[in-house]
């Protein structure tokens, strides 16, 4: 009984620490534009596959242990078909688990569904009209960093690695200054065209381009992306990603009605996404500071939270679209991967 009570107390203390740490990190981002740049750089190194809550949660736990996290998977089942056990690795005895928020998925009862719908919540239903299996909540789920395991060699999966294998037939070339060896440019342009936009390279100062490196124009009879034709291949890819980010963030369509989408925030979201994706692809990209010094947040923690969540969500989606291979992370028992939370 004492052990169970102590475990419950430890859980409550962890939840309190999570809430306090989350609020403190948001407050730092909202108070100082430089903190946003630091946050984006940290996320770019750590990976954009986690949601904001789990980014903060893992970083909090890693900082408490004074370690740099690399890649997380759960322990794995007895059949060795999931987690680290699937890859021939085992968690060392005595290692302390990290925790992430993982979704709880199940089919709600009709009574639950009716109550949720009465509260204005949308309830997914299957072809027979029954409530479909869906996320009904979240739980803290244990996971372990690569550094906590021993066993077979394991290479951390990345979009950069997958694209280099695709482009070079298995060789991993070193990035040359000014060049883009990822082969991602044509795929990024295709994503823009798939969204219903024309894409063209243009001379500086022509048409809608003006003095910008790139521009996305939406209006009556116009859905156009233009990028300067006199920049390096690496800059061309980065600018094209920036314009794709504007499209994916719905900056030009008016869909995000009610949100505070002034120019500073739009540019912050697009540039942050481009920087994250470039880093994941292996491009040497540097975050611009223009958008951050405009005071786009003005200390508004809710605004910073919304922006950060948008950046992570859109960057993760673009990376998934650019990934020619399926990584080794497996679904957890609830049907979702811990790395996706």
């Amino acid at each position: 009984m004492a052990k169970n009570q102590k475990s419950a107390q430890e859980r409550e203390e962890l939840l309190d620490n999570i809430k306090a740490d989350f609020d403190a990190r948001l407050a730092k981002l909202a108070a100082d534009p430089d903190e946003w740049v630091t946050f984006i750089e940290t996320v770019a190194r750590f990976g954009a596959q986690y949601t904001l809550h789990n980014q903060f949660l893992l970083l909090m736990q890693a900082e408490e242990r004074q370690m740099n996290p690399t890649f997380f998977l759960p322990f794995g089942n007895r059949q060795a078909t999931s987690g680290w056990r699937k890859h021939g690795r085992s968690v060392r005895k005595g290692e302390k688990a990290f925790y992430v928020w993982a979704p709880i998925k199940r089919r709600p009862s009709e009574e639950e569904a009716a109550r949720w719908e009465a509260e204005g919540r949308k309830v997914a239903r299957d072809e027979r009209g029954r409530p479909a299996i869906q996320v009904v909540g979240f739980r803290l789920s244990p996971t372990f960093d690569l550094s906590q395991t021993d066993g077979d060699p394991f290479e951390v999966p990345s979009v950069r690695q997958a694209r280099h294998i695709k482009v070079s037939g298995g060789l991993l070339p070193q990035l040359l200054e000014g060049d883009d060896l990822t082969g991602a440019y044509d795929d990024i342009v295709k994503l823009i065209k798939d969204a219903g936009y024309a894409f063209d390279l243009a001379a500086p100062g022509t048409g809608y381009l003006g003095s910008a490196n790139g521009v996305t124009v939406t209006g009556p009879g116009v859905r156009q992306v233009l990028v300067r034709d006199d920049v390096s291949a690496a800059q061309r890819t980065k600018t094209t990603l920036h314009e794709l980010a504007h499209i994916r963030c719905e900056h030009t369509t008016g869909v995000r009605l009610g949100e505070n989408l002034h120019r500073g925030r739009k540019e912050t979201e697009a540039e942050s996404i481009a920087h994250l994706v470039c880093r994941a692809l292996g491009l040497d990209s540097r975050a611009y500071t223009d958008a951050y010094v405009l005071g786009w947040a003005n200390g508004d923690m809710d605004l910073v939270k919304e922006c950060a969540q948008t950046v992570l969500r859109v960057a993760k989606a673009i990376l998934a679209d650019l990934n020619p291979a399926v990584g080794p992370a497996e679904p957890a028992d609830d049907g979702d991967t811990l790395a996706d939370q």
Side-chain angles (χ1 to χ4, degrees), residues 37-48 68-70 276 279:
V37 180
T38 301
F39 166 69
I40 293 300
E41 285 289 332
T42 301
V43 173
R45 290 193 302 270
F46 187 61
N68 294 317
T70 52
L276 279 173
R279 289 287 295 270

Side-chain angles (χ1 to χ4, degrees), residues 14-314:
L14 175 60
L15 291 174
D16 289 342
N17 289 339
I18 290 172
K19 178 64 168 61
D21 182 82
F22 186 86
D23 289 344
R25 290 176 188 269
L26 274 184
K28 287 178 65 178
L29 294 182
D32 184 356
D34 288 339
E35 289 292 336
W36 178 266
V37 180
T38 301
F39 166 69
I40 293 300
E41 285 289 332
T42 301
V43 173
R45 290 193 302 270
F46 187 61
Q49 68 267 37
Y50 299 96
T51 63
L52 179 65
H53 285 83
N54 277 341
Q55 282 279 355
F56 283 180
L57 180 52
L58 288 171
L59 288 174
M60 179 192 78
Q61 295 169 90
E63 288 171 4
E64 288 177 346
R65 304 182 195 191
Q66 298 183 325
M67 66 173 286
N68 294 317
T70 52
F71 188 79
F72 291 92
L73 284 176
F75 184 85
N77 58 24
R78 293 182 179 180
Q79 295 76 28
T81 59
S82 66
W84 287 118
R85 297 189 69 181
K86 178 179 179 180
H87 300 284
R89 299 187 69 86
S90 58
V91 177
R92 289 189 294 272
K93 185 176 181 179
E95 289 288 351
K96 181 181 178 183
F98 286 75
Y99 287 89
V100 291
W101 291 111
I104 301 171
K105 289 187 176 181
R106 63 174 173 81
R107 189 188 304 276
S109 66
E110 283 291 352
E111 291 74 17
E112 285 179 309
R115 184 174 69 254
W116 294 346
E117 289 172 335
E119 295 171 351
R121 294 173 56 182
K122 184 177 180 180
V123 177
R125 294 182 178 272
D126 60 23
E127 64 279 359
R128 297 169 57 184
R130 301 179 305 168
I133 295 176
Q134 54 204 280
V135 176
V136 297
F138 289 86
R139 60 182 172 82
L140 283 170
S141 181
T143 188
F144 297 88
D145 185 66
L146 171 61
S147 64
Q148 298 175 288
T149 68
D150 294 315
D152 296 343
F154 179 84
E155 185 171 3
V156 175
S158 68
V159 179
R160 177 186 183 183
Q161 174 196 29
R163 292 202 66 89
H164 279 168
I165 291 173
K166 175 185 177 183
V167 171
S168 60
L171 300 176
L172 298 182
Q174 296 297 310
L175 185 67
L176 301 177
E177 184 176 356
D179 289 339
D180 171 17
L181 302 182
T182 67
Y185 172 72
D186 288 339
D187 291 335
I188 297 166
V189 171
K190 182 179 184 301
L191 292 177
I192 289 174
K193 292 181 176 179
D194 288 346
Y197 286 76
F199 178 88
D200 290 293
L201 297 175
T206 59
Y208 296 105
L209 194 56
S211 61
N213 289 329
V215 65
T216 299
V217 182
T218 302
V222 180
R223 289 169 69 89
Q224 174 80 51
V225 173
L226 293 175
V227 171
R228 285 178 55 174
D229 63 2
D230 64 340
V231 295
S232 68
Q235 181 63 46
R236 182 186 63 183
T237 294
K238 189 255 183 195
T239 300
T240 305
L241 269 171
H242 180 104
E243 300 310 319
L244 174 61
H246 276 308
I247 294 170
R248 290 290 183 92
C249 289
E250 303 284 3
H251 288 159
T252 60
T253 61
V255 170
R256 293 168 63 182
L257 295 175
E259 292 189 57
N260 184 10
L261 289 180
H262 55 73
R263 184 175 183 273
R265 178 176 175 182
K266 290 180 181 179
E267 292 304 317
T268 298
E269 288 183 351
E271 189 60 30
S272 299
I273 291 164
H275 185 60
L276 279 173
V277 175
C278 280
R279 289 287 295 270
L281 293 174
L283 293 181
D284 183 11
S285 173
R286 294 292 184 267
Y288 289 164
T289 58
D290 304 19
Y292 313 130
V293 299
L294 295 177
W296 63 274
N298 293 320
D300 188 336
M301 288 176 60
D302 288 337
L303 183 60
V304 171
K305 179 180 177 181
E306 291 170 4
C307 184
Q309 289 174 328
T310 297
V311 167
L312 290 172
R313 173 180 56 80
V314 175

